[in-house]
């Protein structure tokens, strides 16, 4: 199961605003686990202003 901490670790160093594809690519470069990558692939395809917005998209 993915935790908010896992998401934040995967997005460490991410520049915002960022789109879904950039977020997933960044997590892949940070060697995020499959569960984190799958969670990020499931978020809405839009621009995110910061890590809290990404976490909200994953967990809400």
């Amino acid at each position: 199961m993915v935790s908010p901490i896992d998401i934040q670790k995967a997005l460490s160093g991410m520049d915002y605003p960022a789109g879904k594809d950039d977020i997933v690519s960044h997590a892949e470069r940070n060697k995020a686990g499959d569960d984190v990558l799958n969670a990020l692939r499931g978020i809405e395809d839009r621009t995110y202003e910061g890590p809290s917005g990404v976490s909200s998209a994953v967990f809400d």
Side-chain angles (χ1 to χ4, degrees):
M1 183 168 169
V2 179
S3 76
I5 293 170
D6 295 330
I7 298 294
Q8 297 311 315
K9 284 181 182 176
L11 299 181
S12 176
M14 182 83 209
D15 291 326
Y16 294 94
K20 175 184 172 177
D21 291 342
D22 292 330
I23 290 167
V24 172
S25 294
H26 186 85
E28 289 171 341
R29 286 191 301 275
N30 275 353
K31 305 205 181 329
D34 288 341
D35 52 347
V36 171
L37 292 173
N38 287 334
L40 291 173
R41 288 180 184 123
I43 64 175
E44 182 182 349
D45 190 6
R46 65 175 180 87
T47 300
Y48 293 87
E49 298 300 322
S52 62
V54 177
S55 285
S56 292
V58 171
F59 295 106
D60 289 350

